[in-house]
Amino acid sequence: MSAALVVPAGTTAADAVAAAGLPQSGPKAIVVVRDADGRLRDLDWSPGQDADVEAVAIDSPDGLDVLRHSAAHVLAQAVQDIFPEAKLGIGPPIENGFYYDFDVEKPFQPDDLAKLEKRMQEIVKAGQTFRRREYASLDEARAELAHEPYKLELVDIKGDVDDSEVMEVGGGELTHYDNLDRDGKRVWGDLCRGPHLPTTRLIPAFKLMRSAAAYWRGSEKNPQLQRVYGTAWPSRDELKAYLNRLAEAERRDHRKLGTELDLFSFPDEIGSGLVVFHPKGGVIKREMEDYVRARHIEEGFQYVGTPHISKEGLFHTSGHLPYYADTMFPPMHMEGADYYLKAMNCPMHNLIFRSRGRSYRELPMRLFEFGSVYRYEKSGVVHGLTRVRGLTQDDSHSYVAPEDAPAEIKHLLNFVLSLLRDFGLDDFYLELSTRDPKSDKFIGTDEQWATATEVLDRVATETGLELVADPGGAAFYGPKISVQARDAIGRTWQMSTIQYDFNMPARFGLEFQAADGSRQEPVMIHSAKFGSIERFFGVLVEHYAGAFPAWLAPVQVVGIPIRDDHAGYLEEFVARLRKEGIRAEVDHSTDRMQKKIRTAQQQKIPFMAIAGDDDVNGGTVSFRYRDGSQRNGVGLDEAVAHVVEVVRSRVNTGPTAE
RNA sequence: GCCCCUGUAGCUCAGUUGGCCAGAGCACCUGUCUUGUAAACAGGAUGUCGUCGGUUCGAUUCCGACCGGGGGCUCCA
């Protein structure tokens, strides 16, 4: 981990690290130190007076950033070696790796990456030293960087880019890092605030991953640069482990599993981002919906239904149209009116609330439906089930008296967490999205935002879950809490959202009659539990790698006869299961039994029920589970009860004989 | 929307430096075999090589546009 050190005046941090006997190479190497002000310093830093510092190892979060940013420099050097005309953009560390942006004549091709990687290996092997150098003045920097237009731009705006992504400038001074070869000759250099590894040789394992275009400084008004992504790790084993994680994620890809398990497809004839569910996917989707619908009703929601299109006036009233017209499908003209496909359900629920006078006795009023909405997502962002153009929201709106809003939000938050747990996700954190006071995108008064944000913050904090701030991430009409869930391999997905809305009730003129006879405006709380059924479906496919819990599995039991003449016996068993609502079938294909087992394994069916002469004679079946474990010779009554028990319990693990 | 890559059988993928009938494995169909826990054997059918246009004696191959897919950027009520 980290160790406290003193760097005596006039000596270097490296001297102190060596004197303390800390590792200077290997997977725990100390690569920089943190000074008393929390600032990271290179190992060749030499303080003017004795300094207390903390040694930072390459495998710590800061150490990894230093490693990866140094690898980005090596990449940039390799690019300018091979493509001397390339102009440098920025090259920060990111999660698990780094990137560097370049302005080049021709975009990089896959073989270019191989060449660059090879050149990087040479640079790493050469053991170049990174050396910090401070510019005496802005003009000196400008003169030296005259041939690097993007760097020049950073020098000129250095005041307002002091953030984690722009490593080039910041910290109140302007510095440069030179790469020196073993003879001390300068071979390359880059504007950079640092810090860096002492030498390139401390980059133990890296790999270039891909290239892609990226807008300069993140704005689509700017030119696109070519970005090269790479990854770097303190050891070869960690690199290998990271690549294995990526391979595992690829194996779980819901688009691939969706085809293999015959769950859904995106027919070209329908259009990009529009999914059709096949029978097996339909079973899972229906189980999800049935369960969620039942749970909503238990929790006091009323199931409603609304159409897919509406005249445009409704979306003017709601305020959506001015903000989101370009992400809605264009209108259809009919009978002198413009009809829009709906992109959100709340306006229609408001109309249900407003359809007659409401009493305080009806509150909280909770309207819920699976509402199909259509959004014209840009062509470049449509992605499997996680980003589609037609989706079904499990959308609810709670109308409450303002003083009851905190209790309602708490109720909703507990509800969504319990629902997610029911589906096997149980590792969460919360995000609180608030408005950006500098943006004019948000409507409502400061007081309204303050009240709403305070309520959400308080309720979120009370859950005891980790709470992450997301400034500027709010919807235009109010702040929101979102629930982020970690899946089986540690990736996080934004699932549920809960939004406090003080705006739409006023726009729709919603009111209820209070106990004292006065008319009052309710607060509206939007909540989606899964966000979209399609997206949650995709997340579940990846979370379970296609091996759904028994209660969700499209086929729960497959009967496998040893010989054809055992099939009739299994048909009787399967008929008993079906009577209990179990999705069971017998494999009547001409394959041999081993092949049928293989097929059932590949289809990830939870229960295989095998029967041959022994089982028929004994009045039993033999279970083989998805994990390969077996329970042989189980009596038919017990076998039926066993399957029914596992399915009805909705357990999300197993089944197994273990 | 922008940049790059990509589109050959239901799936995974070869292939054609422009030329007779375009290939493999799996899946599918037929037959033989009748089998105790992840692939029996033999035979068979399968494609307007994404679409439209251009170049050419000739295009699945080269060029262009469009459509779909992938990776990013931007965006995400």
Side-chain angles (χ1 to χ4, degrees):
Chain A
M1 290 315 261
S2 57
L5 295 175
V6 176
V7 184
T11 67
T12 65
D15 295 336
V17 168
L22 294 169
Q24 292 168 282
S25 63
K28 300 275 176 194
I30 303 304
V31 288
V32 291
V33 295
R34 185 181 295 107
D35 70 14
D37 299 327
R39 192 168 152 187
L40 296 176
R41 299 285 192 172
D42 294 321
L43 285 188
D44 67 359
W45 173 64
S46 174
Q49 47 194 310
D50 291 6
D52 292 317
V53 301
E54 195 188 327
V56 175
I58 195 167
D59 62 345
S60 68
D62 282 331
L64 287 169
D65 277 353
V66 169
L67 161 67
R68 288 163 181 164
H69 176 55
S70 296
H73 271 230
V74 172
L75 164 63
Q77 182 181 344
V79 167
Q80 291 199 317
D81 282 353
I82 297 176
F83 305 96
E85 79 292 354
K87 303 298 179 202
L88 301 174
I90 61 172
I94 53 174
E95 192 180 1
N96 297 327
F98 59 90
Y99 67 78
Y100 211 115
D101 289 343
F102 306 94
D103 185 355
V104 282
E105 281 294 301
K106 271 179 38 190
F108 298 114
Q109 308 281 311
D111 350 333
D112 293 334
L113 291 191
K115 273 184 240 157
L116 290 170
E117 201 170 286
K118 187 153 168 275
R119 178 67 193 124
M120 286 175 72
Q121 295 286 10
E122 291 165 7
I123 294 168
V124 167
K125 265 207 201 120
Q128 295 180 3
T129 307
F130 287 99
R131 203 174 59 194
R132 181 184 180 88
R133 170 159 61 87
E134 200 165 323
Y135 285 117
S137 68
L138 276 179
D139 284 341
E140 185 192 338
R142 285 194 194 105
E144 186 171 319
L145 296 166
H147 59 288
E148 289 287 359
Y150 300 95
K151 295 291 185 190
L152 218 45
E153 195 178 322
L154 294 177
V155 168
D156 287 335
I157 56 168
K158 77 178 191 108
D160 42 292
V161 290
D162 197 358
D163 66 35
S164 58
E165 191 177 351
V166 180
M167 302 289 294
E168 280 59 26
V169 293
E173 54 194 14
L174 211 46
T175 55
H176 191 97
Y177 274 79
D178 290 323
N179 282 52
L180 309 180
D181 69 12
R182 289 199 187 158
D183 307 325
K185 198 175 118 227
R186 179 182 181 283
V187 288
W188 190 75
D190 191 6
L191 175 76
C192 183
R193 73 165 188 251
H196 277 281
L197 301 174
T199 100
T200 57
R201 207 173 349 188
L202 283 178
I203 302 174
F206 72 92
K207 183 172 165 58
L208 295 185
M209 304 301 286
R210 63 177 73 91
S211 66
Y215 297 107
W216 168 238
R217 301 190 63 218
S219 168
E220 57 188 329
K221 297 187 190 88
N222 287 338
Q224 284 195 327
L225 304 181
Q226 294 302 311
R227 174 171 297 180
V228 177
Y229 284 93
T231 186
W233 296 87
S235 67
R236 299 199 72 81
D237 283 347
E238 281 160 283
L239 172 64
K240 211 189 277 176
Y242 172 66
L243 296 176
N244 284 339
R245 286 202 296 283
L246 292 183
E248 177 59 27
E250 207 169 313
R251 274 192 289 281
R252 290 169 175 259
D253 189 317
H254 72 276
R255 296 164 298 186
K256 185 172 122 83
L257 288 169
T259 303
E260 283 174 11
L261 302 177
D262 196 15
L263 302 178
F264 57 82
S265 61
F266 293 91
D268 294 355
E269 292 84 345
I270 298 179
S272 184
L274 297 167
V275 65
V276 293
F277 285 92
H278 300 190
K280 284 182 178 161
V283 166
I284 298 169
K285 182 165 176 282
R286 182 173 50 75
E287 282 287 352
M288 290 167 64
E289 289 171 351
D290 286 351
Y291 184 65
V292 169
R293 189 183 288 111
R295 287 294 314 273
H296 273 83
I297 290 166
E298 279 170 27
E299 295 286 329
F301 291 83
Q302 297 170 281
Y303 193 76
V304 298
T306 61
H308 291 203
I309 66 172
S310 158
K311 289 191 284 191
E312 68 172 331
L314 182 63
F315 301 119
H316 277 301
T317 304
S318 71
H320 285 102
L321 210 38
Y323 283 89
Y324 299 111
D326 57 345
T327 43
M328 291 176 74
F329 278 86
M332 291 167 264
H333 301 276
M334 201 166 72
E335 294 172 345
D338 278 349
Y339 283 77
Y340 279 87
L341 280 173
K342 75 173 166 183
M344 69 300 297
N345 301 299
C346 29
M348 298 199 184
H349 288 186
N350 290 343
L351 297 180
I352 295 172
F353 182 91
R354 207 174 67 177
S355 63
R356 64 171 169 80
R358 297 293 177 185
S359 157
Y360 73 95
R361 295 174 199 275
E362 291 182 81
L363 305 187
M365 184 166 148
R366 304 180 175 116
L367 304 182
F368 161 76
E369 74 170 313
F370 291 111
S372 296
V373 299
Y374 296 89
R375 294 175 180 180
Y376 180 59
E377 300 286 358
K378 289 176 180 175
S379 60
V381 306
V382 169
H383 181 93
L385 287 173
T386 56
R387 197 77 181 270
V388 290
R389 286 179 171 167
L391 58 126
T392 312
Q393 289 184 310
D394 54 339
D395 205 3
S396 77
H397 298 94
S398 299
Y399 300 86
V400 297
E403 62 271 23
D404 294 332
E408 181 65 10
I409 290 167
K410 194 169 180 175
H411 175 256
L412 285 167
L413 197 49
N414 287 333
F415 177 43
V416 301
L417 292 175
S418 80
L419 259 185
L420 292 171
R421 286 193 186 101
D422 290 342
F423 280 89
L425 296 169
D426 52 16
D427 188 359
F428 311 114
Y429 68 92
L430 304 179
E431 206 167 82
L432 178 62
S433 299
T434 50
R435 74 166 166 172
D436 175 359
K438 278 183 279 185
S439 164
D440 56 3
K441 154 182 160 187
F442 303 97
I443 57 179
T445 66
D446 290 351
E447 295 73 46
Q448 287 172 319
W449 278 90
T451 305
T453 304
E454 190 275 324
V455 168
L456 291 177
D457 195 357
R458 180 153 40 91
V459 175
T461 304
E462 281 170 12
T463 62
L465 292 170
E466 183 188 348
L467 181 62
V468 176
D470 172 32
F476 73 90
Y477 51 76
K480 72 176 176 199
I481 298 174
S482 55
V483 177
Q484 312 280 330
R486 289 189 185 87
D487 73 5
I489 56 171
R491 297 171 300 177
T492 63
W493 305 85
Q494 180 183 316
M495 311 281 16
S496 322
T497 58
I498 296 175
Q499 294 176 273
Y500 184 112
D501 184 355
F502 42 75
N503 166 63
M504 232 179 269
R507 289 178 157 269
F508 277 84
L510 304 186
E511 56 182 24
F512 65 93
Q513 193 148 21
D516 64 2
S518 64
R519 293 191 176 254
Q520 295 187 14
E521 190 177 285
V523 165
M524 183 178 173
I525 298 156
H526 307 243
S527 84
K529 284 86 222 168
F530 300 153
S532 101
I533 300 290
E534 289 78 4
R535 183 179 146 83
F536 191 59
F537 189 112
V539 170
L540 285 183
V541 171
E542 304 211 358
H543 177 62
Y544 289 114
F548 281 92
W551 68 283
L552 288 170
V555 177
Q556 295 165 322
V557 181
V558 64
I560 297 178
I562 304 274
R563 242 184 298 117
D564 286 352
D565 53 300
H566 302 123
Y569 174 80
L570 282 170
E571 276 297 346
E572 286 172 35
F573 173 61
V574 157
R576 286 186 62 181
L577 289 169
R578 285 197 181 136
K579 215 177 258 178
E580 299 292 335
I582 302 298
R583 295 182 287 273
E585 53 193 50
V586 176
D587 185 344
H588 286 291
S589 69
T590 57
D591 295 326
R592 338 174 74 112
M593 164 247 185
Q594 285 87 343
K595 181 62 181 297
K596 290 180 181 181
I597 288 172
R598 180 180 148 88
T599 304
Q601 288 287 159
Q602 288 178 324
Q603 289 295 305
K604 302 175 197 285
I605 294 168
F607 297 93
M608 284 168 241
I610 299 167
D613 289 338
D614 296 348
D615 281 299
V616 171
N617 294 334
T620 61
V621 292
S622 295
F623 283 113
R624 179 191 165 103
Y625 303 93
R626 228 165 11 198
D627 63 354
S629 63
Q630 299 175 31
R631 276 183 68 199
N632 294 331
V634 180
L636 290 182
D637 290 346
E638 191 196 335
V640 171
H642 168 53
V643 172
V644 166
E645 202 280 317
V646 170
V647 169
R648 294 206 184 136
S649 71
R650 296 176 188 278
V651 289
N652 292 312
T653 54
T656 173
E658 303 309 318

